[in-house]
Amino acid sequence: MAAAPGDARPMARRRLRITGTVQGVGFRPHLHRLARSLSLTGTAGNDDQGVWCEIQGRRADLDEFEALVSAEAPPLARVDSVRSADVPTVEGERDFSLSPSTPGSDTVTGTVPPDVAACPACLAEVADPGGRRYRYAFTCCTDCGPRYTVVRSLPYDRERTSMAGFELCEACEAEYRDPADRRHHAQAVCCADCGPELSLESVSGEPFAGDPISEAAALLREGRIVAVKGLGGYQLACRADDSAAVARMRRRKHREEKPFALLVASIAAAGELVQLDDLAERALSGPEAPIVLAPRRESAAVAAEVAPDTRLLGVMLPATPMHTLLAAETGLTLVCTSGNRSDEPIVTDDARVGTELGDIADAVLRHDRVIERRADDSVGHVVHGGFQLLRRARGYAPGTVRLDRDGPVVLAVGAELKSTVCLALGADAHLSVHLGDLEHPAALGAFETAVADMLELTRATPELLVHDLHPEYLSTKFAASADLAPRLGVQHHHAHLASCLTDAGFRGPAIGVMFDGMGWGTDGTLWGGEILVGDAGGYERFAHLRPVPMPGGTAAIRQPWRMAMAHLHEAFGPDVPAMPSLAAHEEHISAVLDQCRPGQSILTTSIGRLFDSMAALCGVALAATYEGQAAIRFEQVAGPDVRRYPVEISGGTPAVIEFSPLVEAVVSDLLTGQPPELIAGAFHRWVSDAAVAASRQARESTGISAVALSGGVFQNRRLTELLVPDLEQAGFEILRHRQVPPNDGGIALGQAAVGRATLANRG
């Protein structure tokens, strides 16, 4: 590989520093192939900052190499920067080699790549009866397989993963060392002779005879529930067309009505269950392999108990060869849900399967590779021409979001529901996987572990610890008790605004339409129907929904009919009309109306609670067993928006979006026999009209024409697909979430951005 004999052109040597997602994605083998193709010598390796490389040869070839480092990077890589400098040449160097990784003691700015679904080449090997990886459940290469869930520390090399205990056999070692092989330096490479093994056991640990996949498939076909050890935790599976099996799963898991996800063998099988457009198919079959929510086909062979509240089904393709084999062997659509009791973290520890899942599962399909880090399945849907995440976990996390500049280390601990944590480090925001709702003690433990793990993995020392303003959030209490850094409380909807701007790469300022269930306001009330103007550095509350009492506090979330009474009381005063849909609660109505009197209940401006109220008035949902259930049902019944309800915005600072004319119109429609479908459609249109009207007023006042949409209400596909075109037609630039969810799963990113801006403003 050295320069040809007699070549008199001068030689040069260059050192490159490459940052981004460049470890665990085949980047060093990429550099090796590139150097050899250009007859360059040198070396490359991983360290705490990413990948470094030294190359030697003719200057023109060095220039071409440097250009191709990014241009021809591996598909899973993300190159953020390539910096180079000339260094002295090395005499006698004859080849290009890969150097051992060099862990250091400084802060780690390199990123851990997410886990990647099995690639077509590996799946072809698994299906090849003549191949040495036939039916091997842990087949992978540099283009696929586990990363985040097996890594122990950085730099990312086999000895720092849970694959360290599996010594490579001669054949796998040869693949690992061969620059021409797609398993060159694939850290999780293995085969049946040297890698992890599957076993099928009873919940008490008694082994089943025979092939574990075949025996597990037989149990599933019989209607049994099997706990399956996946990439980032255990899952629970049963056949989806068996009402009794699904009902048994719900009863044992204590999950009353929240929909289950479905595992299907192929895109074709998914298409038999749901309506898929090109965007949905691409998301479903991408390397992230998320659960994709899509409209259910009437002919779908799925028990009604799978998703009783919605016309949508969540489908996913197998993320691993093990899941591929299991789906093919059963020949069925399978319920595949998190291995836990409802609201608890997904189980990862083999030793806890018996105690945590023993009364749910009938058998356990496990393996002997340790899960180092928890990662649930990601969830998303296609809305208005793009794929939007609703839960960011396996396949996406801990992938970073690029920040607009370098800055101090900031740790943000998120909110209460859909918890995530975020570390702003260098020019990247490192986001944890979805951690669940912190209302459960076990979820709080997972949250605390995630914070400690993030700081340990990066060896970072935060300069600021950012949290929500809500005094009762467990994340806020954690921040108050943690001796990590000076603290900063950030208003919930300001964090939503900053999250959307950061996600969109927009420095602002912007008008923020922040619609959600609730967030603690600076005035001691619960906000949730907010029109803000600002950026990460600050905001003005330009307008909001008129405040209304939440009778019974959190009881009003679980019992939406209470919110209906509050909105009726606000619209009609003490002479509340008798609504047929609320008749079942007649004996409690007087007490609830007493709670609506001034000073008796906390006030809220929440659009989410207004959705609940409308759902209850229409008889669609009088109670909720999980967060957002009433609003989900109301979206599902919405028919065409053939009428418009009146929008009124009162002047003032801030302005007030009045809901009384809306409530009066809805009551009139209900009492004259109009169907819930018509009212639900008209209500969604009213929310869009109100947002556009308030945004117009904000633009007239400020001259700002960019609108950011964030908050859990924007999980509502119907609303988003009404509002975005309406805003575009009104001449606004629309900013939406693409990398993180619009719900509270994106709050930590916004908190980190506000923290950075606050430190910058302090100078």
Side-chain angles (χ1 to χ4, degrees):
M1 286 186 57
D7 191 336
R9 284 177 289 181
M11 303 291 286
R13 190 175 185 88
R14 200 171 290 174
R15 183 176 179 88
L16 277 62
R17 159 63 62 194
I18 305 146
T19 64
T21 304
V22 291
Q23 293 188 19
V25 293
F27 208 89
R28 287 178 297 168
H30 157 62
L31 297 178
H32 192 284
R33 290 190 295 271
L34 190 57
R36 286 198 163 187
S37 72
L38 295 170
S39 298
L40 300 175
T41 64
T43 186
N46 287 337
D47 63 14
D48 293 338
Q49 315 307 312
V51 169
W52 61 269
C53 173
E54 289 193 6
I55 47 171
Q56 183 166 303
R58 293 181 291 269
R59 285 195 178 276
D61 295 330
L62 299 186
D63 292 341
E64 184 175 358
F65 178 95
E66 191 168 339
L68 294 176
V69 163
S70 298
E72 295 185 359
L76 299 177
R78 189 194 77 191
V79 178
D80 293 334
S81 68
V82 179
R83 300 189 302 274
S84 65
D86 287 344
V87 294
T89 57
V90 175
E91 293 296 326
E93 187 176 63
R94 307 296 299 175
D95 206 346
F96 189 93
S97 62
L98 299 185
S99 297
S101 296
T102 52
S105 57
D106 295 333
T107 299
V108 177
T109 57
T111 61
V112 180
D115 296 323
V116 183
C119 70
C122 283
L123 291 178
E125 288 180 295
V126 173
D128 179 9
R132 71 185 193 90
R133 288 189 172 88
Y134 178 55
R135 291 180 62 83
Y136 184 57
F138 305 95
T139 300
C140 65
C141 67
T142 54
D143 294 329
C144 68
R147 268 80 167 169
Y148 172 72
T149 55
V150 298
V151 70
R152 291 172 178 160
S153 63
L154 291 176
Y156 178 75
D157 287 293
R158 190 180 182 95
E159 62 265 27
R160 284 178 287 276
T161 74
S162 57
M163 290 299 296
F166 298 96
E167 185 176 350
L168 291 172
C169 67
E170 185 175 340
C172 287
E173 179 78 25
E175 292 172 327
Y176 185 85
R177 300 297 175 194
D178 183 0
D181 197 285
R182 78 174 197 280
R183 294 191 170 92
H184 182 41
H185 276 254
Q187 304 306 328
V189 62
C190 58
C191 69
D193 292 333
C194 63
E197 297 180 355
L198 281 176
S199 62
L200 182 68
E201 303 170 0
S202 69
V203 291
S204 60
E206 297 296 322
F208 281 73
D211 176 69
I213 292 287
S214 298
E215 294 301 316
L219 291 174
L220 290 166
R221 286 194 298 270
E222 293 170 7
R224 311 288 284 278
I225 298 172
V226 177
V228 179
K229 187 177 181 181
L231 278 173
Y234 277 85
Q235 299 162 308
L236 292 165
C238 71
R239 60 184 299 166
D241 61 350
D242 186 333
S243 292
V246 179
R248 194 179 311 118
M249 176 90 84
R250 287 201 176 280
R251 186 171 61 253
R252 293 180 181 179
K253 191 174 159 68
H254 305 298
R255 182 163 168 156
E256 298 175 53
E257 295 171 303
K258 193 173 184 180
F260 284 134
L262 301 173
L263 176 68
V264 294
S266 64
I267 287 285
E272 294 177 1
L273 303 179
V274 294
Q275 300 169 33
L276 297 172
D277 60 15
D278 289 344
L279 284 172
E281 286 193 7
R282 284 204 296 272
L284 197 59
S285 59
E288 300 86 0
I291 298 167
V292 175
L293 301 180
R296 175 178 181 157
R297 293 190 183 278
E298 290 186 9
S299 59
V302 173
E305 291 83 358
V306 167
D309 278 331
T310 172
R311 294 196 297 265
L312 303 177
L313 291 175
V315 296
M316 62 177 165
L317 296 182
T320 72
M322 178 186 66
H323 289 85
T324 300
L325 292 167
L326 193 61
E329 191 92 11
T330 60
L332 299 167
T333 298
L334 298 174
V335 166
C336 190
T337 188
S338 303
N340 55 7
R341 292 185 181 87
S342 284
D343 301 325
E344 296 183 12
I346 187 171
V347 174
T348 60
D349 186 352
D350 295 331
R352 297 185 64 83
V353 171
T355 56
E356 300 291 333
L357 304 179
D359 57 353
I360 304 176
D362 299 307
V364 181
L365 181 62
R366 68 168 87 231
H367 56 77
D368 55 350
R369 184 179 68 206
V370 174
I371 297 172
E372 295 292 340
R373 284 175 177 76
R374 178 180 285 108
D376 217 327
D377 296 315
S378 294
V379 183
H381 63 177
V382 173
V383 56
H384 197 70
F387 185 71
Q388 180 183 70
L389 283 171
L390 304 177
R391 183 170 77 192
R392 188 176 187 270
R394 178 190 52 75
Y396 296 92
T400 60
V401 174
R402 288 294 284 172
L403 302 173
D404 62 354
R405 67 189 73 181
D406 202 340
V409 180
V410 174
L411 174 65
V413 294
E416 182 92 339
L417 302 180
K418 299 175 175 62
S419 171
T420 60
V421 296
C422 178
L423 187 71
L425 181 63
D428 284 312
H430 298 250
L431 283 101
S432 74
V433 297
H434 166 85
L435 300 171
D437 298 343
L438 300 188
E439 297 169 319
H440 194 283
L444 178 61
F447 161 83
E448 292 172 340
T449 298
V451 171
D453 179 63
M454 185 173 282
L455 295 178
E456 180 181 352
L457 194 64
T458 59
R459 297 196 291 274
T461 301
E463 297 180 35
L464 190 66
L465 176 58
V466 189
H467 59 86
D468 195 271
L469 288 182
H470 199 302
E472 293 304 313
Y473 279 0
L474 295 184
S475 56
T476 303
K477 293 181 177 181
F478 167 85
S481 63
D483 186 21
L484 292 173
R487 293 183 290 114
L488 174 70
V490 171
Q491 201 282 321
H492 190 86
H493 300 93
H494 184 203
H496 268 306
L497 173 61
S499 175
C500 188
L501 298 183
T502 303
D503 193 347
F506 188 88
R507 295 187 64 177
I511 299 163
V513 179
M514 307 288 108
F515 288 173
D516 65 1
M518 64 178 189
W520 195 262
T522 56
D523 58 0
T525 66
L526 296 173
W527 295 4
E530 310 305 311
I531 307 296
L532 306 183
V533 176
D535 55 21
Y539 72 97
E540 170 196 354
R541 193 185 191 196
F542 182 83
H544 59 78
L545 193 67
R546 177 165 292 283
V548 65
M550 274 182 66
T554 56
I557 300 173
R558 298 188 300 271
Q559 300 172 358
W561 68 270
R562 289 174 173 266
M563 287 309 308
M565 294 307 306
H567 285 104
L568 288 172
H569 182 268
E570 188 69 24
F572 292 96
D575 298 323
V576 171
M579 302 303 298
S581 61
L582 307 182
H585 298 282
E586 186 174 359
E587 62 182 289
H588 304 293
I589 284 176
S590 177
V592 169
L593 289 176
D594 283 343
Q595 293 175 330
C596 294
R597 290 186 289 109
Q600 298 303 304
S601 297
I602 194 167
L603 298 177
T604 183
T605 61
S606 169
I607 288 283
R609 301 287 78 81
L610 186 59
F611 265 92
D612 291 353
S613 178
M614 294 295 108
L617 284 174
C618 290
V620 173
L622 299 180
T625 61
Y626 63 89
E627 192 238 346
Q629 183 179 13
I632 290 170
R633 284 185 174 179
F634 201 53
E635 179 188 1
Q636 295 304 305
V637 303
D641 53 302
V642 295
R643 66 171 63 198
R644 274 186 151 95
Y645 291 136
V647 172
E648 292 185 14
I649 301 179
S650 302
T653 306
V656 175
I657 303 169
E658 303 288 354
F659 60 75
S660 290
L662 162 75
V663 174
E664 291 167 2
V666 168
V667 167
S668 175
D669 278 348
L670 286 169
L671 294 180
T672 56
Q674 297 296 336
E677 293 80 6
L678 181 145
I679 294 168
F683 173 74
H684 281 77
R685 169 59 67 187
W686 180 88
V687 176
S688 178
D689 288 348
V692 172
S695 297
R696 284 181 184 273
Q697 289 190 12
R699 180 172 60 187
E700 291 169 4
S701 175
T702 65
I704 296 170
S705 60
V707 175
L709 307 179
S710 191
V713 167
F714 289 107
Q715 297 174 113
N716 184 311
R717 185 195 318 230
R718 176 66 175 272
L719 173 61
T720 303
E721 293 185 340
L722 285 172
L723 178 55
V724 171
D726 286 353
L727 287 169
E728 289 174 338
Q729 189 173 3
F732 288 99
E733 178 184 0
I734 314 302
L735 307 173
R736 293 170 54 208
H737 288 278
R738 295 295 187 191
Q739 302 174 79
V740 301
N743 57 42
D744 283 5
I747 282 284
L749 174 63
Q751 290 174 341
V754 173
R756 277 273 181 96
T758 300
L759 291 176
N761 290 339
R762 290 175 183 173

